[in-house]
Amino acid sequence: MAGYDYDLFTIGAGSGGVRASRLAATFGARVAVAEEYRVGGTCVIRGCIPKKLFVYASEFGHMFHEAQGYGWTANGAHFDWTKLIANKDAEIDRLNGVYIRNLNNAGVDIINSRAVVKDAHTIHLVNENRDVTADKILVATGGAPWTDQSVTGHNLAVTSNEAFHLEEFPRRVVIAGGGYIAVEFACIFKGLGAEVSLVYRGEDVLRHFDRDISVQVHREMSRMGVRVITSAVFDKIEDIGGGARRVHLDTGARLDADLVFWAVGRKPATDGLGLENAGVALGKNGCVIVDEWNRTNVENIFAVGDVTDRVQLTPVAIREGAAFAETEFNNSPTKVDYDFIPKAVFSQPPVGAVGYSEGKARKKFGGVDIYKSDFRPMKNTLSGSEARTFMKLVVEEKTQKVVGVHIIGDGAPEMVQCLAVAVKAGLTKKDFDDTIALHPTSAEELVLMRNKFIE
Ligand code: NDP
C-alpha cells in the first residue's frame, strides 16, 4: 500500500507471527516482523520443543531400569544436566537459525526490537528509537507465564521460562498447578532423578480432560513416585538459605525444595504494547479480542495465537496466521475450523485426546456409548513396569459417530494425531470395528473394543 513503509507489520516472531509474515510476503506483500527476544517464539525457544527434548531425556531414567528385564545390564548410568542443557541450547539455536533463514528467504524484514503501537498505522521500535508505518498491523505476541503475586515470596519460584536454563539440576522440586506444564515438568524432573511434589488446588490434575484421563494420569504420576498433593495452594515461599526454599501450603504443610516452580497458567502478552493508543479492545486477562477473521475492533489491526486467548496451542496459532495471510493478502477468505483439535500432554506415559470428553458429550448429544480398555502393554511384561495403557471411545448414540478418543499410554499422541483424521471425518464405531487390527500393537485395541462400558 503506497504511503506506508510496509503492507504488514507483525509484532512477535513466534509460531503465528512467522507463518503469517512468511505467507503474506510470498503473496507479494512488503512485510516486517519485530521480535524483542528470539525468532521462533515460545514453542521453539522455551516451550514445546525444548520441553519435548527434556521429556526424551527423562524417559531414559525409566528405560535403564526397565531394560534389565530384557537382559541388559545398565549399571552406572549417569545423567549430566549441564550436557543436556548445552545440547538442547545447540538444537534451539539451530531451529532459531532455520526460522530466521525462512523469513529472510521470503523477503521479510526482521527487526530485533520491542515494538509499541503508537496509533493505528504507526509502530515505535523501542531499541532503535524510530517509527515505522504499516497498512496492517498483526499482533502475535503470544503469552507469558502467570504467577500468583499475592503469595508472599512468589518471586522465589521460577516459571517454565527459567526452567529451561537452570544452572544446576534441582534435587527437590515443588510445582504449583495441575495443568499441562505442571504435569509435564513433574514427570520430567522425576524421570531425571529429582524428588518431586506437585501441589494442585483441585481434585485430579488435567481438569479439562476426560475425567478417566485425569484420574489415570494422577494414578500414573503417583505410581512413578511424584507426590501429588491435592486441594492445596501455596501460602508462602521462604528462602531458607543455601539456595533452598520452604513452601508453606494453605493446609499448614511445609515442603523444602531446591526449585519451586509456578505452572498456574499463562496470560496474553499485551502489557505495554500500546494497543490502547490505537483503541484496540482487550478482554479478560488482557487478551486481544478478535472476530472469526482475526480482526480486532480496529479495522486494520489483527491478532493471532495465544495473545487472543482462544486455544493456546502452536498448530492453532499457525493455522490462524495462515488464515489471516490468505484472507488479507491472497484474496482468499479463510477461517480456522476449531472443531476436533487433537491434544497431547507429554506426561509419562503421555496422553492423547481428540473430541468430546464423556461429560461434555453427554451434555451435547444426550445419549452416548462408552467403550474403555485398560491393559498392561506388552512391553511392560518383561520390563516389569507397572504402567498401564488406557483407551476410551466416546460414541454418539444416535449417529454412532465416534466423537471422542482419549488415550494414556506409550505412543498416545502419535495414535491420536492419526485418529483425529477419522474423528474429524465423522467416522462411526462400525468403521472402527470394520478396520482390521494391526498386531501386535497397543493401538489395535482401538478397533477391538466390542463391549459398551456399563457403570
Ligand atoms: P493450564 O491452564 O493447563 O493449567 C493451569 C493450572 O494452574 C490448572 O491446574 C489450574 O487449576 C491451576 N491454577 C490456575 N490458577 C491458579 C491459582 N490461582 N492457584 C493455584 N492453581 C491455579 O496452564 P499451563 O500453564 O500448564 O499451560 C498453559 C497453556 O499452554 C495450556 O493451557 C496449553 O494450552 C499450553 N501448553 C500446551 C502443551 C501441550 O500441548 N502439550 C504443553 C504446555 C502448555 P484448575 O485446573 O483448577 O483451573
Side-chain angles (χ1 to χ4, degrees):
M1 183 79 44
Y4 295 115
D5 298 327
Y6 294 103
D7 300 318
L8 171 65
F9 194 96
T10 303
I11 309 178
S15 301
V18 166
R19 173 52 65 97
S21 301
R22 277 180 63 194
L23 216 50
T26 60
F27 295 145
R30 295 168 305 140
V31 184
V33 58
E35 171 58 53
E36 65 178 341
Y37 186 52
R38 298 185 71 188
V39 172
T42 300
C43 172
V44 176
I45 306 297
R46 47 193 182 189
C48 324
I49 302 293
K51 180 275 306 290
K52 189 89 186 272
L53 295 174
F54 278 13
V55 170
Y56 287 136
S58 71
E59 283 171 348
F60 285 102
H62 313 290
M63 283 181 202
F64 288 120
H65 180 69
E66 292 170 8
Q68 292 172 33
Y70 283 94
W72 288 91
T73 304
N75 296 336
H78 170 73
F79 169 64
D80 183 341
W81 173 254
T82 312
K83 185 167 185 182
L84 171 64
I85 297 287
N87 288 352
K88 178 266 296 176
D89 285 344
E91 174 59 9
I92 300 310
D93 287 348
R94 187 186 72 80
L95 290 172
N96 171 245
V98 169
Y99 270 64
I100 291 172
R101 243 189 340 272
N102 287 344
L103 283 167
N104 285 334
N105 290 346
V108 175
D109 285 352
I110 303 172
I111 300 171
N112 299 113
S113 171
R114 178 157 180 81
V116 175
V117 175
K118 259 180 117 170
D119 63 42
H121 291 283
T122 313
I123 303 104
H124 181 64
L125 301 172
V126 177
N127 303 28
E128 303 181 1
N129 194 21
R130 68 179 172 106
D131 291 348
V132 291
T133 58
D135 179 33
K136 294 186 169 95
I137 295 175
L138 177 68
V139 182
T141 47
W146 178 77
T147 61
D148 187 349
Q149 309 215 344
S150 70
V151 171
T152 307
H154 64 88
N155 52 356
L156 294 171
V158 303
T159 68
S160 55
N161 283 354
E162 295 77 41
F164 290 113
H165 301 284
L166 300 173
E167 279 178 19
E168 277 182 37
F169 181 70
R171 293 279 145 210
R172 298 162 304 169
V173 180
V174 176
I175 302 178
Y180 283 83
I181 296 179
V183 166
E184 291 181 342
F185 270 93
C187 294
I188 286 169
F189 283 122
K190 182 68 199 168
L192 294 177
E195 251 175 55
V196 181
S197 303
L198 179 146
V199 179
Y200 175 49
R201 65 180 176 180
E203 214 180 307
D204 286 301
V205 295
L206 299 180
R207 181 166 65 89
H208 298 289
F209 280 74
D210 186 277
R211 178 135 174 81
D212 278 326
I213 292 291
S214 301
V215 170
Q216 199 86 4
V217 169
H218 193 141
R219 192 178 300 155
E220 287 296 338
M221 286 175 72
S222 303
R223 190 193 50 73
M224 76 191 272
V226 174
R227 187 174 168 202
V228 184
I229 301 169
T230 54
S231 307
V233 291
F234 288 5
D235 192 31
K236 184 168 95 175
I237 309 170
E238 210 186 335
D239 185 341
I240 53 171
R245 274 90 175 90
R246 179 162 297 153
V247 180
H248 298 253
L249 304 185
D250 64 342
T251 55
R254 295 163 173 201
L255 303 164
D256 288 353
D258 306 309
L259 182 78
V260 186
F261 190 138
W262 287 116
V264 288
R266 294 174 62 85
K267 190 179 165 301
T270 50
D271 284 353
L273 211 53
L275 291 171
E276 64 286 357
N277 299 331
V280 174
L282 302 183
K284 198 169 154 242
N285 287 334
C287 71
V288 179
I289 301 171
V290 288
D291 65 11
E292 57 198 348
W293 302 103
N294 302 298
R295 189 188 295 268
T296 70
N297 60 315
V298 179
E299 201 202 6
N300 69 308
I301 303 187
F302 300 77
V304 295
D306 285 5
V307 76
T308 64
D309 206 11
R310 287 176 285 184
V311 181
Q312 295 178 9
L313 293 174
T314 298
V316 176
I318 291 173
R319 274 292 166 102
E320 288 169 354
F324 159 77
E326 288 285 355
T327 306
E328 298 300 322
F329 296 100
N330 198 32
N331 202 21
S332 166
T334 307
K335 287 187 205 171
V336 174
D337 174 358
Y338 293 92
D339 282 345
F340 297 110
I341 297 169
K343 295 183 176 153
V345 183
F346 294 95
S347 46
Q348 294 171 35
V351 171
V354 61
Y356 293 85
S357 65
E358 179 179 345
K360 286 195 175 133
R362 286 195 187 285
K363 275 197 195 118
K364 174 146 178 96
F365 303 109
V368 289
D369 295 336
I370 301 297
Y371 296 83
K372 294 187 190 183
S373 182
D374 181 353
F375 57 96
R376 192 180 190 189
M378 187 174 157
K379 188 177 171 196
N380 293 352
T381 52
L382 298 199
S383 77
S385 166
E386 297 291 324
R388 301 187 66 79
T389 289
F390 172 82
M391 297 174 170
K392 178 171 182 176
L393 297 183
V394 180
V395 180
E396 184 188 1
E397 194 178 50
K398 203 165 91 197
T399 61
Q400 283 300 295
K401 281 184 182 169
V402 177
V403 293
V405 180
H406 309 273
I407 305 174
I408 171 169
D410 284 342
E414 306 287 342
M415 288 181 224
V416 165
Q417 174 66 89
C418 302
L419 282 163
V421 179
V423 175
K424 185 139 182 68
L427 297 193
T428 62
K429 178 68 170 61
K430 182 169 183 307
D431 293 318
F432 277 55
D433 296 345
D434 287 348
T435 304
I436 291 180
L438 177 56
H439 188 70
T441 62
S442 285
E444 67 183 312
E445 272 302 306
L446 289 158
V447 297
L448 295 174
M449 288 190 238
R450 293 291 184 267
N451 299 323
K452 282 182 209 168
F453 178 78
I454 317 261
E455 294 271 4

